Amino acid sequence: MNPQKRVKNNKEREEKKMYSSSSRNAFEDGKYKTDLLTVDSSSHCFRTTPSSSSPAPPKGLLIATPVEEGEYPVVMLLHGYLLYNTFYSQLMLHVSSHGFILIAPQLYSIAGPDTMEEIKSTAETMDWLSVGLNHFLPPQVTPNLTKFALSGHSRGGKTAFAAALKKFGYSSDLKISTLIGIDPVDGMGKGKQTPPPVLTYEPNSFDLDKMPILVIGSGLGETARNPLFPPCAPPGVNHRDFFRECQGPAWHFVAQDYGHLDMLDDDTKGIRGKSSYCLCKNGEGRRPMRRFVGGIVVAFLMAYLEGDNSELVKIKDGSHDGVSIEIQEFEVKM
């Protein structure tokens, strides 16, 4: 072999080894190159050439996808109250870089007095995935809907639980493999739940047939920013209450010194984007909380969708290198 070629091959193997090693840290970006796509529900803006029978999605979508050829699990992310799906683009790209397709529907422009329409839209979008999603992805990318995770933040977390529980009149035929609540909230307080209420205040009451569940909470979510605004994740309707009603297997992580909206993008535009910095008590910067949430989600998905629990075990044992966030609370039900 040519000595110059041997040196080049050795260097490539070493770089590949280093790259592979770094990708195993769920809190760092993964090894997959990604793209961020937008799909308008009112038009047929296809990434590939669809057949005439390919339906547009029921709601506009933001999609984060690997661009390398392969088959990837699918994760749907439901946005929080009065927020836009675009506010989660950095979080979505982080998770996608570890080999997942992220789908974030824009459930509404103006929130209604209850979440029934959001539950309905979630079920409709889930049903659409099997007939329409592949037409909007790069041609070399295949969605694996036998590995499907439903997730949501804040009111979107409540909606995700409601859709999974299938007790409010709307459900999908698509099987949910895992469920994730990112600082889920069920209203303004106990007795002030947004209809339809999801929490029953009966421990272990969520009967989801042993579906693995992840609940992530924010340490500052229960604290009001000032006397003019209530807490964004009030006691009695927040992550602790959701986890209390989960059956095993269920995991619960709470990030200390960070707030309810700290996992959003650094730059959230418009009036709603600017208000996201004013309404909730926040930590010092969004990047640490976003990486924390992204890493926990990736580790959980790797464990329960891909059968690799090495990252989740490391986090459970206290190792979350590269993220300057203290886990305030941790609990697991098996």
Side-chain angles (χ1 to χ4, degrees), residues 14-258:
E14 188 63 27
E15 287 177 348
K16 187 175 181 181
K17 181 179 177 182
M18 291 172 62
Y19 190 52
S20 176
S21 176
S22 67
S23 71
R24 286 197 295 267
N25 185 338
F27 298 101
E28 301 290 345
D29 288 341
K31 66 180 182 180
Y32 295 94
K33 293 181 180 179
T34 57
D35 197 3
L36 197 63
L37 317 174
T38 56
V39 180
D40 187 345
S41 63
S42 63
S43 64
H44 292 266
C45 303
F46 296 95
R47 292 283 296 188
T48 61
T49 304
S51 67
S52 59
S53 61
S54 301
K59 294 290 180 179
L61 303 176
L62 184 67
I63 302 175
T65 178
V67 296
E68 298 174 34
E69 183 177 358
E71 182 178 82
Y72 304 97
V74 177
V75 183
M76 183 182 290
L77 173 64
L78 309 179
H79 61 82
Y81 182 61
L82 296 179
L83 300 177
Y84 292 119
N85 55 3
T86 53
F87 291 174
Y88 300 84
S89 62
Q90 289 175 286
L91 175 62
M92 292 172 64
L93 286 169
H94 174 91
V95 177
S96 183
S97 73
H98 287 269
F100 301 95
I101 298 170
L102 275 289
I103 310 293
Q106 184 62 45
L107 295 175
Y108 54 80
S109 295
I110 300 175
D114 60 46
T115 56
M116 287 302 296
E117 190 62 30
E118 291 144 68
I119 298 168
K120 177 176 180 287
S121 296
T122 298
E124 290 174 345
T125 304
M126 287 171 60
D127 282 336
W128 171 86
L129 293 176
S130 61
V131 296
L133 176 58
N134 62 311
H135 298 294
F136 292 85
L137 296 172
Q140 70 276 14
V141 173
T142 302
N144 183 353
L145 290 171
T146 65
K147 298 178 179 180
F148 173 72
L150 181 60
S151 67
H153 167 233
S154 190
R155 177 159 150 166
K158 167 201 173 89
T159 303
F161 272 87
L165 289 166
K166 297 184 177 182
K167 63 179 184 180
F168 300 111
Y170 298 105
S171 62
S172 169
D173 292 332
L174 179 61
K175 182 180 178 181
I176 302 171
S177 303
T178 62
L179 179 64
I180 300 172
I182 303 172
D183 223 15
V185 178
D186 195 13
M188 298 296 293
K190 190 172 182 178
K192 299 179 181 178
Q193 292 166 262
T194 306
V198 171
L199 294 170
T200 65
Y201 301 100
E202 293 291 334
N204 306 312
S205 61
F206 290 159
D207 185 4
L208 291 169
D209 195 24
K210 297 184 179 180
M211 180 190 300
I213 302 173
L214 171 65
V215 179
I216 301 175
S218 62
L220 299 181
E222 294 181 337
T223 305
R225 182 180 179 89
N226 58 54
L228 298 177
F229 298 110
C232 287
V237 288
N238 66 20
H239 57 94
R240 292 188 179 85
D241 305 283
F242 276 87
F243 179 72
R244 192 175 297 118
E245 298 195 25
C246 291
Q247 300 175 3
W251 297 71
H252 184 212
F253 295 90
V254 182
Q256 186 170 340
D257 299 327
Y258 285 86

Side-chain angles (χ1 to χ4, degrees), residues 295-316:
I296 297 292
V297 168
V298 166
F300 180 78
L301 294 175
M302 288 171 59
Y304 287 101
L305 294 186
E306 302 286 47
D308 177 5
N309 68 351
S310 57
E311 282 296 293
L312 195 57
V313 169
K314 281 166 55 179
I315 298 169
K316 174 179 176 290

